[in-house]
Amino acid sequence: IAQVPAGATLLEAARSVGLPVASACGADGVCARCGMRILDGADSILPETQRETEIKERNRVDADLRLACRVRIVAPLSATATYWG
């Protein structure tokens, strides 16, 4: 569980508690390696932008995943990455 200020990204939250998150673009939303599945609280985040959709399509990322560097946290949520055992 991470306590982060409202507006922090999901990527920042995960890293703040030591969870590894794949990213090769410096959190610029280009590489799409930070895809995460939102388990709970998806209704409290903004919908995916057209830019995020395009990045995911270009990088063949599952449509159900959200890019952690693009998701801003405004309320409690839980998420997972496929590589977190």
Side-chain angles (χ1 to χ4, degrees):
I1 296 177
Q3 296 279 338
V4 295
T9 66
L10 182 53
L11 177 66
E12 293 165 338
R15 287 185 172 166
S16 76
V17 292
L19 292 171
V21 180
S23 177
C25 66
D28 287 332
V30 178
C31 72
R33 293 184 179 182
C34 63
M36 295 180 137
R37 185 169 315 284
I38 307 298
L39 301 174
D40 189 37
D43 56 336
S44 68
I45 58 177
L46 292 175
E48 186 172 292
T49 64
Q50 181 62 35
R51 176 80 174 128
E52 184 177 355
T53 301
E54 290 167 359
I55 292 166
K56 287 171 36 178
E57 288 173 352
R58 183 176 57 243
N59 290 284
R60 296 184 195 109
V61 173
D62 185 333
D64 292 338
L65 300 181
R66 293 294 306 269
L67 300 182
C69 67
R70 296 284 180 164
V71 173
R72 297 271 172 198
I73 299 173
V74 295
L77 64 81
S78 61
T80 191
T82 57
Y83 45 85
W84 294 345

